[in-house]
Amino acid sequence: MKFLRYGAPGAEKPAIVDADGKIRDLSAHVTDLSGVALAPDALAKLGAIDLNSLPLVEGSPRLGPCVAGTGKFICIGLNYSDHAAETGATVPPEPIIFMKASSAIVGPNDDVTIPRGSEKTDWEVELAVVIGKTAKYVSEADALDYVAGYCVTNDVSERAFQTERSGQWTKGKSCDTFGPMGPWLVTKDEVPDPQNLGMWLTVNGEKMQDGSSKTMVYGVSFLVSYLSQFMSLHPGDVISTGTPPGVGMGLKPPRYLKPGDVVELGIEGLGTQKQTFQADI
């Protein structure tokens, strides 16, 4: 099943994609795609509704972030062996964890704002895991029981803020609009192997990233279990699991985004995103 949220920012409505790829409104059955509504059994009940009985959403509405109520936006750094190599970094002995502010979250096709003073805004296509029920001290074997599904994220990053301004990475990752999410929350039954998904990203039509989650160092089950040893994971929390090679920082010479650039990205079975980058004026 593919769930989504559509409408104006802050007023999105829940919806589902039917067999013909059309959007069907779920407002009569659920308030939003957040909290207990994200539990795997709750999503299954929504998916069992006769979709032809649901109101058809006409036209091409704006798509919002595919989940609401995200309390924690957790990111994993250097989690692809080939990406670590392109940046000259060593694969860490344990996952690198950092937070991205939830205020960075926007819809998959919303404009992204390059922050004031930025000279090194970069792109990162990533597989995101959406938590469906509270996980604390869970085993790796049971970890996927706590997952609602998966979606695409662009972990937009300002590299100077991230690595040259001292302190932690968070301030280079959390600028407003730096977390496009969606288009869909794809339930885990449609993603039998999250460690075998093609991933790609283009800048102005030029292919920059063309990788696979096969090269992920720490897989989804491990990450959910690992993180749950340090903090409770709650419904709507998002884990962005790292990026394959091809980021601007890793090019020779490095290349970064400027106003007017168009970034498109996608993951096999999870849909695509498209963002135009603009200056913060």
Side-chain angles (χ1 to χ4, degrees), residues 40-280:
D41 57 346
L43 292 178
K45 288 180 181 179
L46 291 175
I49 297 169
D50 177 7
L51 301 190
N52 290 324
S53 70
L54 298 173
L56 184 65
V57 178
E58 301 289 352
S60 300
R62 170 193 173 266
L63 300 184
C66 57
V67 294
T70 296
K72 294 189 288 295
F73 195 166
I74 308 167
C75 298
I76 309 299
L78 299 176
N79 194 33
Y80 281 68
S81 55
D82 38 8
H83 170 57
E86 77 170 342
T87 61
T90 302
V91 173
E94 292 190 36
I96 294 174
I97 301 170
F98 62 91
M99 295 292 194
K100 196 175 185 86
S102 58
S103 56
I105 297 173
V106 291
N109 304 315
D110 289 345
D111 289 346
V112 173
T113 301
I114 297 173
R116 295 180 185 179
S118 169
E119 295 181 353
K120 297 182 178 180
T121 295
D122 205 348
W123 57 83
E124 293 190 9
V125 58
E126 301 205 3
L127 168 66
V129 181
V130 179
I131 298 299
K133 59 182 183 178
T134 300
K136 185 175 183 179
Y137 299 127
V138 303
S139 68
E140 188 173 351
D142 295 334
L144 294 187
D145 294 342
Y146 298 84
V147 171
Y150 304 93
C151 66
V152 181
T153 56
N154 186 356
D155 178 20
V156 185
S157 310
E158 211 302 333
R159 302 301 189 186
F161 296 179
Q162 176 187 354
T163 63
E164 300 171 21
R165 300 272 305 261
S166 186
Q168 299 179 340
W169 289 3
T170 301
K171 61 190 173 189
K173 298 283 190 170
S174 296
C175 303
D176 294 347
T177 72
F178 270 25
M181 186 180 299
W184 312 313
L185 166 63
V186 181
T187 51
K188 60 187 177 183
D189 59 293
E190 289 199 12
V191 188
D193 185 2
Q195 308 309 147
N196 188 25
L197 300 175
M199 310 166 67
W200 59 270
L201 181 146
T202 66
V203 178
N204 300 326
E206 180 182 356
K207 182 69 68 71
M208 307 306 295
Q209 292 187 271
D210 187 9
S212 170
S213 59
K214 286 180 180 179
T215 64
M216 197 183 290
V217 178
Y218 300 106
V220 170
S221 296
F222 179 88
L223 290 172
V224 172
S225 174
Y226 181 82
L227 290 167
S228 79
Q229 310 306 310
F230 303 103
M231 66 191 84
S232 294
L233 302 174
H234 297 129
D237 285 351
V238 173
I239 305 167
S240 201
T241 58
T243 196
V247 301
M249 180 177 62
L251 300 177
K252 299 187 188 328
R255 173 178 167 183
Y256 298 108
L257 294 164
K258 60 186 184 301
D261 283 345
V262 176
V263 173
E264 297 181 73
L265 59 149
I267 298 178
E268 181 182 354
L270 303 185
T272 62
Q273 301 184 355
K274 182 178 181 179
Q275 298 111 30
T276 299
F277 281 67
Q278 61 182 13
D280 190 351

